[in-house]
Amino acid sequence: MASLSFIRASKLAELLQSADPEKKMYVRILNTTQLGVGLDPLQPMVIISLSKETIGPTGGEDAQPTTTAAPVPDHPAFDGTKISRRSGDYWFEISGKRIQCGSLRQLLAEALKALEKKKPGTLDNLSRIRGRSRRIVARDANQLFDKAHLVKEYAERLDGGWYFGTNNSARETGVWLQRAAECAGFKPGSDFKTNL
């Protein structure tokens, strides 16, 4: 059965820019979940996974391009509601208890809540850490991003009056979770683990 993958246009643009910083490559649709990027469109150098939102090397059975378009399953007509996207199977483990998550967004939200529950004050400490253009958590959603339009699109409520930013790659999610674990006083990889 064919599967469809969805990705935000801004996320795809970010992945394409990362895969081709010199802007010399071509993109080829390999199948319903992957794009090939390379100097020769028939010989991709890297694979962009739409479902995992990652860039990886070519090779492996799942990276082989299909020669024909995969059939599109029947779907009800689009009714204007937001499409829910399952982008992968993720988990985190805190104090020996593993929690499964279906998306990066869910992984980030659930792990942040679990760390705060285990060590109150974790989110407060994490809110003081700022990346180049954003924070990952804040009491005021407007403090998450430098640009106001990003707040409307990528800020979501967390428990206890906190907000978190949802526009994160797998790598960014892993970095923020490592920082959160450090803010909680945990050793990443022992007291707190994730499959990122």
Side-chain angles (χ1 to χ4, degrees):
M1 170 171 251
S3 64
L4 291 176
S5 293
F6 302 94
I7 189 170
R8 288 190 185 272
S10 60
K11 184 63 187 173
L12 178 57
E14 178 186 314
L15 290 171
L16 286 168
Q17 186 172 359
S18 294
D20 182 22
E22 295 179 18
K23 299 179 180 164
K24 294 181 179 179
M25 297 192 193
Y26 294 89
V27 177
R28 177 177 169 212
I29 298 170
L30 300 177
N31 53 48
T32 58
T33 63
Q34 296 175 321
L35 301 176
V37 181
L39 293 172
D40 177 352
L42 298 177
Q43 298 292 322
M45 298 164 68
V46 294
I47 302 292
I48 294 178
S49 169
L50 302 177
S51 59
K52 295 178 184 174
E53 298 183 357
T54 58
I55 300 171
T58 59
E61 188 176 294
D62 61 342
Q64 296 302 315
T66 56
T67 54
T68 59
V72 177
D74 294 330
H75 289 285
F78 181 71
D79 62 3
T81 58
K82 190 173 183 180
I83 296 173
S84 176
R85 173 171 58 116
R86 182 177 176 87
S87 54
D89 290 317
Y90 303 99
W91 56 262
F92 69 94
E93 193 173 291
I94 186 167
S95 301
K97 183 180 178 187
R98 185 171 288 192
I99 310 296
Q100 295 290 139
C101 300
S103 69
L104 287 171
R105 180 184 301 186
Q106 183 186 15
L107 173 69
L108 182 60
E110 295 304 317
L112 290 174
K113 290 189 281 189
L115 286 165
E116 176 66 19
K117 184 176 180 182
K118 213 55 159 154
K119 298 282 183 168
T122 296
L123 295 181
D124 190 47
N125 291 334
L126 187 59
S127 71
R128 295 185 185 112
I129 299 173
R130 181 178 172 80
R132 281 187 332 193
S133 62
R134 63 182 163 155
R135 291 179 173 83
I136 196 62
V137 293
R139 287 275 185 199
D140 178 358
N142 293 310
Q143 293 178 351
L144 289 174
F145 301 99
D146 285 346
K147 298 177 181 171
H149 73 278
L150 296 175
V151 174
K152 282 180 131 178
E153 203 169 345
Y154 300 117
E156 285 191 15
R157 281 191 184 274
L158 207 55
D159 290 345
W162 289 97
Y163 291 86
F164 77 109
T166 63
N167 186 26
N168 304 289
S169 67
R171 184 189 62 77
E172 291 167 330
T173 301
V175 168
W176 282 117
L177 289 177
Q178 181 178 353
R179 289 177 181 166
E182 289 166 358
C183 287
F186 288 135
K187 292 179 185 173
S190 57
D191 301 324
F192 178 84
K193 300 177 189 174
T194 179
N195 64 337
L196 292 182

